[in-house]
Amino acid sequence: ETGVTQTPRHLVMGMTNKKSLKCEQHLGHNAMYWYKQSAKKPLELMFVYSLEERVENNSVPSRFSPECPNSSHLFLHLHTLQPEDSALYLCASSQVRVLSNQPQHFGDGTRLSIL
Amino acid sequence: SQELEQSPQSLIVQEGKNLTINCTSSKTLYGLYWYKQKYGEGLIFLMMLQKGGEEKSHEKITAKLDEKKQQSSLHITASQPSHAGIYLCGADSGGTYKYIFGTGTRLKVLA
């Protein structure tokens, strides 16, 4: 099993659809993240969960709804998205410690296209 | 807010040539990470640097963090087509969950 697994790899949806992205980590990490990657822009942090509690929400529109049922799984629920939401969505996990962070490990991403 | 600037934005080199990618921070870095990304895929962790003056190597890739901890360089020796991809630097910006990333350097290696 690879460290961080994301499904699906590709998703095409209309603006009125509802879909979910799934992420699973097998590294025993205590924090999980959702990022959005658009062309020619730095990675944008969307959500952070630590020990299944949301600790960071970078002013993401409500049409994106995260869920973290346990420390190994993370979901991103999507509804009524806009064309500008088309991007690569990356999930990451890391071990967060009191005095220092550790590198994040990323999944292969979900390429999302909104029609 | 802290930002990471990478240079160059893109690079095309002939196989066998050496190259350097730079990452400059607007503030002191607490931790600096280098990642490689193939188009449309996730980021692969390469190296982490934390101490001023630190240098690490993995195969033909060497990364350094300057003494002031505001600039890092990634050096590839004798580049190969397998080195092609996008190289991103990321940093721990001081908050527990606050990671930031540069815009990336797109590397192409001609065989």
Side-chain angles (χ1 to χ4, degrees), chain A residues 94-95 97 100-105, chain B residues 30-35 44-51 54-58 62-65 72 74 88 90-92 99:
Chain A
S94 73
Q95 188 66 20
R97 298 179 178 145
S100 68
N101 287 336
Q102 294 298 303
Q104 297 174 307
H105 293 260
Chain B
Y30 292 91
L32 189 286
Y33 312 98
W34 282 101
Y35 293 88
I44 299 168
F45 170 69
L46 297 175
M47 278 172 279
M48 175 174 75
L49 303 165
Q50 291 184 301
K51 299 176 184 176
E54 187 174 8
E55 179 176 321
K56 287 187 177 178
S57 294
H58 175 68
T62 300
K64 300 178 185 178
L65 182 61
S72 178
L74 185 85
L88 291 102
D92 179 349
Y99 293 88

Short mmCIF file of all heavy atoms in Angstrom, two decimals, chain A residues 94-95 97 100-105, chain B residues 30-35 44-51 54-58 62-65 72 74 88 90-92 99:
data_model
loop_
_atom_site.label_atom_id
_atom_site.label_comp_id
_atom_site.label_asym_id
_atom_site.label_seq_id
_atom_site.Cartn_x
_atom_site.Cartn_y
_atom_site.Cartn_z
N SER A 94 0.72 14.28 7.76
CA SER A 94 2.01 14.50 8.41
C SER A 94 1.89 14.18 9.89
O SER A 94 0.78 14.04 10.43
CB SER A 94 2.49 15.95 8.23
OG SER A 94 1.75 16.84 9.03
N GLN A 95 3.04 14.06 10.53
CA GLN A 95 3.08 13.88 11.96
C GLN A 95 3.43 15.23 12.57
O GLN A 95 4.53 15.75 12.34
CB GLN A 95 4.11 12.82 12.34
CG GLN A 95 4.09 12.42 13.79
CD GLN A 95 2.81 11.71 14.20
OE1 GLN A 95 2.09 11.19 13.35
NE2 GLN A 95 2.53 11.69 15.48
N ARG A 97 4.30 17.57 15.64
CA ARG A 97 4.85 17.50 16.99
C ARG A 97 4.87 18.89 17.60
O ARG A 97 4.81 19.88 16.89
CB ARG A 97 6.25 16.90 16.95
CG ARG A 97 6.27 15.50 16.42
CD ARG A 97 7.64 14.91 16.35
NE ARG A 97 7.57 13.52 15.86
CZ ARG A 97 8.49 12.96 15.09
NH1 ARG A 97 9.56 13.65 14.74
NH2 ARG A 97 8.36 11.73 14.69
N SER A 100 8.26 20.86 16.45
CA SER A 100 8.67 20.85 15.04
C SER A 100 7.71 20.03 14.22
O SER A 100 7.13 19.07 14.70
CB SER A 100 10.09 20.28 14.89
OG SER A 100 10.08 18.91 15.20
N ASN A 101 7.55 20.47 13.00
CA ASN A 101 6.74 19.71 12.07
C ASN A 101 7.60 18.72 11.30
O ASN A 101 8.82 18.84 11.25
CB ASN A 101 6.04 20.65 11.09
CG ASN A 101 4.93 21.41 11.76
OD1 ASN A 101 4.38 20.96 12.76
ND2 ASN A 101 4.59 22.55 11.22
N GLN A 102 6.96 17.77 10.73
CA GLN A 102 7.61 16.82 9.86
C GLN A 102 7.08 17.01 8.45
O GLN A 102 6.01 17.60 8.27
CB GLN A 102 7.34 15.39 10.36
CG GLN A 102 7.96 15.11 11.72
CD GLN A 102 9.47 15.22 11.68
OE1 GLN A 102 10.13 14.55 10.90
NE2 GLN A 102 10.01 16.09 12.52
N PRO A 103 7.81 16.54 7.44
CA PRO A 103 7.33 16.78 6.07
C PRO A 103 5.98 16.13 5.82
O PRO A 103 5.64 15.11 6.42
CB PRO A 103 8.43 16.16 5.21
CG PRO A 103 9.14 15.22 6.11
CD PRO A 103 9.06 15.81 7.48
N GLN A 104 5.24 16.74 4.93
CA GLN A 104 3.97 16.17 4.53
C GLN A 104 4.19 15.13 3.44
O GLN A 104 5.09 15.24 2.62
CB GLN A 104 3.05 17.27 4.00
CG GLN A 104 2.71 18.31 5.05
CD GLN A 104 1.92 19.45 4.46
OE1 GLN A 104 2.33 20.05 3.48
NE2 GLN A 104 0.80 19.77 5.07
N HIS A 105 3.33 14.13 3.45
CA HIS A 105 3.34 13.11 2.41
C HIS A 105 2.04 13.24 1.64
O HIS A 105 0.96 13.29 2.24
CB HIS A 105 3.49 11.72 3.03
CG HIS A 105 4.83 11.53 3.67
ND1 HIS A 105 5.84 10.84 3.03
CD2 HIS A 105 5.32 11.94 4.86
CE1 HIS A 105 6.92 10.84 3.83
NE2 HIS A 105 6.63 11.50 4.93
N TYR B 30 11.72 27.89 9.38
CA TYR B 30 11.84 26.96 10.50
C TYR B 30 12.12 25.55 10.01
O TYR B 30 12.72 24.75 10.69
CB TYR B 30 10.57 26.98 11.34
CG TYR B 30 10.39 28.28 12.08
CD1 TYR B 30 9.69 29.33 11.53
CD2 TYR B 30 10.95 28.46 13.34
CE1 TYR B 30 9.55 30.53 12.20
CE2 TYR B 30 10.82 29.66 14.03
CZ TYR B 30 10.11 30.69 13.44
OH TYR B 30 9.98 31.88 14.10
N GLY B 31 11.65 25.27 8.83
CA GLY B 31 11.88 23.97 8.20
C GLY B 31 11.67 24.17 6.71
O GLY B 31 10.74 24.84 6.31
N LEU B 32 12.54 23.61 5.91
CA LEU B 32 12.42 23.78 4.46
C LEU B 32 12.38 22.40 3.83
O LEU B 32 13.20 21.54 4.16
CB LEU B 32 13.63 24.58 3.94
CG LEU B 32 13.67 25.09 2.49
CD1 LEU B 32 13.93 23.96 1.49
CD2 LEU B 32 12.39 25.84 2.12
N TYR B 33 11.39 22.18 2.96
CA TYR B 33 11.21 20.88 2.33
C TYR B 33 11.30 21.02 0.82
O TYR B 33 10.82 22.00 0.24
CB TYR B 33 9.83 20.32 2.69
CG TYR B 33 9.49 20.40 4.16
CD1 TYR B 33 8.70 21.45 4.64
CD2 TYR B 33 9.94 19.44 5.05
CE1 TYR B 33 8.38 21.53 5.98
CE2 TYR B 33 9.62 19.52 6.40
CZ TYR B 33 8.85 20.56 6.86
OH TYR B 33 8.54 20.65 8.18
N TRP B 34 11.91 20.04 0.20
CA TRP B 34 11.92 19.99 -1.26
C TRP B 34 11.09 18.80 -1.72
O TRP B 34 11.20 17.70 -1.17
CB TRP B 34 13.34 19.85 -1.80
CG TRP B 34 14.11 21.14 -1.80
CD1 TRP B 34 15.04 21.55 -0.90
CD2 TRP B 34 13.99 22.20 -2.76
NE1 TRP B 34 15.52 22.80 -1.23
CE2 TRP B 34 14.90 23.21 -2.37
CE3 TRP B 34 13.21 22.40 -3.91
CZ2 TRP B 34 15.05 24.41 -3.10
CZ3 TRP B 34 13.36 23.57 -4.63
CH2 TRP B 34 14.28 24.56 -4.22
N TYR B 35 10.25 19.06 -2.73
CA TYR B 35 9.40 18.02 -3.30
C TYR B 35 9.59 18.01 -4.82
O TYR B 35 9.94 19.02 -5.43
CB TYR B 35 7.92 18.32 -3.04
CG TYR B 35 7.49 18.23 -1.59
CD1 TYR B 35 7.57 19.33 -0.76
CD2 TYR B 35 6.98 17.04 -1.07
CE1 TYR B 35 7.16 19.25 0.57
CE2 TYR B 35 6.56 16.96 0.25
CZ TYR B 35 6.67 18.07 1.05
OH TYR B 35 6.26 17.99 2.35
N ILE B 44 6.29 14.25 -4.34
CA ILE B 44 7.15 13.25 -3.73
C ILE B 44 8.17 13.98 -2.86
O ILE B 44 8.90 14.85 -3.34
CB ILE B 44 7.87 12.41 -4.81
CG1 ILE B 44 6.84 11.68 -5.66
CG2 ILE B 44 8.83 11.41 -4.16
CD1 ILE B 44 7.41 11.06 -6.91
N PHE B 45 8.21 13.63 -1.59
CA PHE B 45 9.15 14.27 -0.67
C PHE B 45 10.58 13.87 -1.01
O PHE B 45 10.89 12.70 -1.18
CB PHE B 45 8.81 13.86 0.76
CG PHE B 45 9.83 14.26 1.78
CD1 PHE B 45 10.01 15.59 2.10
CD2 PHE B 45 10.62 13.31 2.41
CE1 PHE B 45 10.96 15.97 3.03
CE2 PHE B 45 11.57 13.68 3.35
CZ PHE B 45 11.74 15.01 3.65
N LEU B 46 11.46 14.89 -1.11
CA LEU B 46 12.87 14.64 -1.40
C LEU B 46 13.73 14.80 -0.15
O LEU B 46 14.44 13.87 0.25
CB LEU B 46 13.37 15.60 -2.49
CG LEU B 46 12.73 15.48 -3.86
CD1 LEU B 46 13.23 16.57 -4.79
CD2 LEU B 46 12.96 14.11 -4.47
N MET B 47 13.70 15.99 0.44
CA MET B 47 14.58 16.27 1.57
C MET B 47 14.00 17.36 2.47
O MET B 47 13.24 18.18 2.02
CB MET B 47 15.96 16.73 1.07
CG MET B 47 16.87 15.59 0.69
SD MET B 47 18.38 16.14 -0.11
CE MET B 47 17.83 16.40 -1.77
N MET B 48 14.44 17.33 3.73
CA MET B 48 14.05 18.34 4.69
C MET B 48 15.31 18.96 5.29
O MET B 48 16.24 18.24 5.65
CB MET B 48 13.20 17.72 5.81
CG MET B 48 12.84 18.67 6.93
SD MET B 48 11.70 17.96 8.12
CE MET B 48 12.79 16.86 9.03
N LEU B 49 15.32 20.28 5.41
CA LEU B 49 16.46 20.99 5.99
C LEU B 49 15.93 21.86 7.11
O LEU B 49 14.91 22.54 6.96
CB LEU B 49 17.14 21.87 4.93
CG LEU B 49 17.63 21.16 3.68
CD1 LEU B 49 17.94 22.16 2.59
CD2 LEU B 49 18.86 20.33 4.00
N GLN B 50 16.63 21.85 8.24
CA GLN B 50 16.16 22.63 9.38
C GLN B 50 17.20 23.56 9.97
O GLN B 50 16.86 24.60 10.53
CB GLN B 50 15.63 21.69 10.48
CG GLN B 50 14.35 20.97 10.09
CD GLN B 50 13.80 20.12 11.21
OE1 GLN B 50 14.46 19.21 11.69
NE2 GLN B 50 12.59 20.40 11.63
N LYS B 51 18.46 23.20 9.88
CA LYS B 51 19.49 24.00 10.53
C LYS B 51 20.22 24.87 9.52
O LYS B 51 20.49 24.44 8.39
CB LYS B 51 20.50 23.08 11.22
CG LYS B 51 19.88 22.21 12.30
CD LYS B 51 20.89 21.26 12.86
CE LYS B 51 20.25 20.32 13.87
NZ LYS B 51 21.19 19.30 14.36
N GLU B 54 22.88 23.67 6.80
CA GLU B 54 22.69 22.23 6.61
C GLU B 54 22.71 21.87 5.12
O GLU B 54 22.24 22.63 4.27
CB GLU B 54 21.37 21.79 7.23
CG GLU B 54 21.15 20.30 7.25
CD GLU B 54 19.88 19.91 8.01
OE1 GLU B 54 19.09 20.81 8.39
OE2 GLU B 54 19.68 18.70 8.22
N GLU B 55 23.24 20.71 4.83
CA GLU B 55 23.29 20.21 3.46
C GLU B 55 22.96 18.73 3.48
O GLU B 55 23.46 17.98 4.32
CB GLU B 55 24.69 20.42 2.86
CG GLU B 55 24.85 19.91 1.44
CD GLU B 55 26.23 20.24 0.86
OE1 GLU B 55 26.73 21.34 1.12
OE2 GLU B 55 26.78 19.38 0.15
N LYS B 56 22.09 18.31 2.54
CA LYS B 56 21.73 16.90 2.44
C LYS B 56 21.79 16.45 1.00
O LYS B 56 21.54 17.25 0.09
CB LYS B 56 20.32 16.66 3.00
CG LYS B 56 20.23 16.74 4.50
CD LYS B 56 18.86 16.32 4.98
CE LYS B 56 18.81 16.33 6.51
NZ LYS B 56 17.47 15.98 7.02
N SER B 57 22.08 15.18 0.82
CA SER B 57 22.15 14.63 -0.54
C SER B 57 21.37 13.34 -0.64
O SER B 57 21.28 12.58 0.32
CB SER B 57 23.61 14.36 -0.92
OG SER B 57 24.34 15.55 -1.02
N HIS B 58 20.79 13.15 -1.81
CA HIS B 58 20.11 11.90 -2.11
C HIS B 58 20.39 11.59 -3.57
O HIS B 58 19.93 12.31 -4.45
CB HIS B 58 18.61 12.02 -1.87
CG HIS B 58 17.84 10.81 -2.27
ND1 HIS B 58 17.95 9.61 -1.61
CD2 HIS B 58 16.95 10.60 -3.28
CE1 HIS B 58 17.17 8.72 -2.19
NE2 HIS B 58 16.55 9.30 -3.19
N THR B 62 21.40 17.41 -4.33
CA THR B 62 21.92 18.00 -3.08
C THR B 62 21.14 19.26 -2.77
O THR B 62 20.93 20.10 -3.65
CB THR B 62 23.41 18.35 -3.22
OG1 THR B 62 24.15 17.17 -3.52
CG2 THR B 62 23.94 18.95 -1.92
N ALA B 63 20.71 19.39 -1.53
CA ALA B 63 20.00 20.59 -1.11
C ALA B 63 20.75 21.24 0.04
O ALA B 63 21.30 20.56 0.90
CB ALA B 63 18.57 20.25 -0.69
N LYS B 64 20.76 22.57 0.03
CA LYS B 64 21.44 23.33 1.09
C LYS B 64 20.52 24.40 1.64
O LYS B 64 19.68 24.95 0.92
CB LYS B 64 22.69 24.02 0.52
CG LYS B 64 23.72 23.10 -0.07
CD LYS B 64 24.89 23.90 -0.64
CE LYS B 64 25.89 23.02 -1.36
NZ LYS B 64 27.00 23.80 -1.95
N LEU B 65 20.71 24.71 2.90
CA LEU B 65 19.99 25.82 3.53
C LEU B 65 21.04 26.81 4.02
O LEU B 65 21.98 26.41 4.70
CB LEU B 65 19.15 25.31 4.70
CG LEU B 65 18.28 26.32 5.44
CD1 LEU B 65 17.25 26.95 4.51
CD2 LEU B 65 17.60 25.67 6.63
N SER B 72 17.32 28.52 0.15
CA SER B 72 17.75 27.15 -0.06
C SER B 72 18.01 26.93 -1.54
O SER B 72 17.39 27.57 -2.39
CB SER B 72 16.69 26.17 0.43
OG SER B 72 17.08 24.83 0.18
N LEU B 74 18.72 23.76 -4.56
CA LEU B 74 18.66 22.34 -4.92
C LEU B 74 19.55 22.18 -6.14
O LEU B 74 19.34 22.84 -7.16
CB LEU B 74 17.22 21.94 -5.25
CG LEU B 74 17.02 20.45 -5.54
CD1 LEU B 74 16.83 19.70 -4.22
CD2 LEU B 74 15.82 20.22 -6.44
N LEU B 88 9.27 21.71 -6.15
CA LEU B 88 8.66 22.71 -5.27
C LEU B 88 9.38 22.75 -3.94
O LEU B 88 9.73 21.70 -3.38
CB LEU B 88 7.19 22.38 -5.00
CG LEU B 88 6.22 22.51 -6.15
CD1 LEU B 88 5.88 21.15 -6.72
CD2 LEU B 88 4.93 23.19 -5.70
N GLY B 90 8.84 23.87 -0.01
CA GLY B 90 7.78 24.12 0.96
C GLY B 90 8.42 24.48 2.28
O GLY B 90 9.57 24.12 2.54
N ALA B 91 7.68 25.19 3.09
CA ALA B 91 8.26 25.62 4.35
C ALA B 91 7.25 25.56 5.47
O ALA B 91 6.04 25.72 5.26
CB ALA B 91 8.82 27.03 4.23
N ASP B 92 7.79 25.36 6.62
CA ASP B 92 7.04 25.44 7.86
C ASP B 92 7.10 26.89 8.28
O ASP B 92 8.17 27.38 8.63
CB ASP B 92 7.75 24.52 8.86
CG ASP B 92 7.08 24.51 10.20
OD1 ASP B 92 6.20 25.36 10.45
OD2 ASP B 92 7.46 23.65 11.01
N TYR B 99 1.92 25.31 6.53
CA TYR B 99 2.90 25.04 5.50
C TYR B 99 2.62 25.96 4.32
O TYR B 99 1.48 26.18 3.95
CB TYR B 99 2.78 23.59 5.02
CG TYR B 99 3.14 22.54 6.05
CD1 TYR B 99 2.19 22.05 6.94
CD2 TYR B 99 4.42 22.01 6.09
CE1 TYR B 99 2.52 21.07 7.86
CE2 TYR B 99 4.76 21.02 7.01
CZ TYR B 99 3.80 20.55 7.88
OH TYR B 99 4.12 19.58 8.79
#
